[in-house]
Amino acid sequence: MSVMTKPAAATPKRGRKLPGWAIGMLGVAGAIALLSTTSYLTNFPQLTSSGTTQTAVRLALPILLAGLGGLWAERAGVVNIGLEGMMIMGTWGAAWAGYQWGPWAALVSAMVFGALGGLLHAIATVTFGVNHIVSGVAINLLGAGVTKYLSTLLFFPVSHNPRESPPVPKFDTYSAAGLTDWLATLENEQRVVLSDVAGILRGLLTGVSPLTMIAILLVPASYLVLWKTRFGLRLRSCGENPWAAESLGVNVYVHKYIAVIASGALAGIGGAALVLNPGQPGYLEGQTGGRGFIGLAAMIFGNWRPGGLLGGAALFGYADGLQLRSGGETVLALLYGAVILLGVLVILQLVRRKWFAAAFGIAAAVVLYFLYYSLDEIPSELTSYAPHMVTLVVLAVASQRLRMPAADGVVYRRG
């Protein structure tokens, strides 16, 4: 007697997923197309001008470096709310060494001071098991208090102002002279899309400092170390399941210490980026302006990955640079761009038959267009908070697709 078996159902083949770099390039192309369309329809070429792009790059650097610091710590399972305090320590360290020995000494000193803040955070959270949020808040308060005391002690006799340092020498900057001249000609011709791309490229290739190159290179370097090396695999395992990592022979304490100290060093370099910015004379009390927290938001927006973090830092830096360069009228033009973006998203939701999301998008687009139509410009009191408002909106939109490390913020005890 034979037994008849039912043939197994064929498994449907899924399409091959695009690699991360391809998705990133598509995102860049979409952003340029959106800005170009908005610039043309609103007659605000400042949206894609080389000056705006250059300012945005300089303002995005501290956010990017702080976000990389948060990435290293949280991939090892340690929440680092103290990035702001470590950046503050980095600004003071950069100014103290920079005005005496130059920009390279400023960079090294900022790294050391930030790493000291990371070491304190590691001792509190990893060794003594202090709540990560409580320790981070304490680091923020400590960084602000210590630097205020040190600036009064050491900067006041030189600059006669306890809230700022003497002028700090900056890095020399470099530009691709022949290429940027050609791009400037193309930008001034005001051709649709072509001049917009030329303006953005010119801004990226003009006035580039060694610190800018280092910050950009740290993004792929962090990816290669954390995702393509044995050390990186062990470090990330400490953030997913430290007890499983311990059972396989990983020294969890050592890897967490390395990650948090590296996190502080990166945040300190972010502080140096503020001091060495050509638009700043040197150290100023309160000059971080919450960028450590914005860097943390950029890391969350990037889903705890370096490529996404780079996009988030670029977004926040662009919002900050636009309001500094152009004021309320150009920021108002972004509302028109947001209406266009919402229109595209509504079409996608209708195709997917997600009626509630489409209706919500239509309502939001109507409100934004009403604001754009009824206002002449956004008040300066609001434009100065553009990066913070962008942070809130982006996190609200991106919150549904995020996945943090499983053991992030968990207090680990061996055994």
Side-chain angles (χ1 to χ4, degrees):
M1 182 178 177
S2 61
V3 179
M4 297 183 64
T5 58
K6 186 177 180 179
T11 304
K13 293 183 178 181
R14 294 183 179 179
R16 181 175 295 180
K17 186 178 179 182
L18 288 175
W21 64 267
I23 296 174
M25 294 301 293
L26 289 174
V28 170
I32 292 175
L34 176 64
L35 290 175
S36 177
T37 304
T38 305
S39 175
Y40 175 74
L41 294 176
T42 60
N43 196 27
F44 279 106
Q46 297 90 341
L47 288 174
T48 55
S49 69
S50 55
T52 300
T53 304
Q54 190 175 359
T55 303
V57 169
R58 289 175 179 171
L59 294 174
L61 287 184
I63 298 172
L64 173 64
L65 290 162
L68 281 175
L71 174 72
W72 273 78
E74 299 211 7
R75 277 295 175 181
V78 179
V79 175
N80 194 354
I81 298 293
L83 289 170
E84 179 77 5
M86 297 170 196
M87 282 189 75
I88 294 172
M89 296 173 70
T91 58
W92 190 91
W96 172 73
Y99 88 91
Q100 299 180 86
W101 302 298
W104 286 107
L107 189 61
V108 173
S109 177
M111 189 187 309
V112 171
F113 273 82
L116 287 175
L119 178 62
L120 290 175
H121 190 49
I123 291 172
T125 57
V126 179
T127 301
F128 294 104
V130 176
N131 181 278
H132 298 187
I133 305 299
V134 172
S135 175
V137 172
I139 293 293
N140 290 335
L141 297 175
L142 182 66
V146 167
T147 54
K148 186 172 184 177
Y149 170 74
L150 291 176
S151 62
T152 303
L153 184 67
L154 298 178
F155 290 157
F156 180 71
V158 183
S159 64
H160 305 292
N161 189 338
R163 296 185 174 182
E164 67 179 38
S165 71
V168 177
K170 315 299 182 187
F171 282 114
D172 293 329
T173 58
Y174 307 92
S175 303
L179 181 58
T180 53
D181 292 341
W182 176 69
L183 290 172
T185 304
L186 197 59
E187 180 184 3
N188 293 331
E189 291 178 357
Q190 292 300 309
R191 299 182 183 179
V192 181
V193 179
L194 197 60
S195 293
D196 298 305
V197 174
I200 292 171
L201 289 177
R202 185 187 174 206
L204 293 175
L205 297 175
T206 303
V208 180
S209 73
L211 182 55
T212 304
M213 302 178 199
I214 291 171
I216 297 300
L217 289 175
L218 281 171
V219 176
S222 296
Y223 171 75
L224 292 174
V225 171
L226 293 177
W227 271 270
K228 299 297 180 180
T229 65
R230 186 175 300 177
F231 165 78
L233 177 62
R234 291 172 177 172
L235 187 146
R236 288 186 294 115
S237 70
C238 297
E240 297 294 340
N241 193 328
W243 293 277
E246 176 194 342
S247 68
L248 295 175
V250 176
N251 192 326
V252 177
Y253 287 135
V254 169
H255 284 78
K256 284 181 178 286
Y257 260 87
I258 292 173
V260 180
I261 292 173
S263 173
L266 288 166
I269 299 174
L274 290 170
V275 173
L276 298 175
N277 187 331
Q280 293 285 341
Y283 165 83
L284 295 172
E285 185 178 318
Q287 73 185 134
T288 55
R291 286 179 174 84
F293 299 110
I294 298 177
L296 198 64
M299 178 206 67
I300 297 171
F301 167 78
N303 208 10
W304 288 266
R305 296 186 70 89
L309 163 61
L310 178 62
L315 175 63
F316 300 135
Y318 177 78
D320 202 2
L322 189 65
Q323 61 92 13
L324 283 178
R325 290 276 305 182
S326 307
E329 290 186 3
T330 309
V331 174
L332 183 63
L334 283 181
L335 292 181
Y336 195 91
V339 172
I340 298 174
L341 179 60
L342 283 172
V344 174
L345 294 177
V346 165
I347 294 173
L348 291 176
Q349 299 302 329
L350 290 174
V351 170
R352 296 174 180 175
R353 297 185 178 182
K354 295 183 178 181
W355 313 118
F356 179 78
F360 180 79
I362 292 172
V366 169
V367 171
L368 291 179
Y369 185 78
F370 174 77
L371 291 174
Y372 171 77
Y373 185 78
S374 59
L375 296 175
D376 294 327
E377 65 175 295
I378 295 179
S380 58
E381 293 82 4
L382 293 179
T383 56
S384 60
Y385 289 97
H388 304 81
M389 290 186 286
V390 169
T391 302
L392 292 175
V393 172
V394 166
L395 289 181
V397 172
S399 61
Q400 301 301 317
R401 62 172 184 83
L402 302 178
R403 182 201 171 275
M404 64 190 296
D408 194 14
V410 175
V411 177
Y412 165 76
R413 280 291 171 266
R414 183 174 292 163

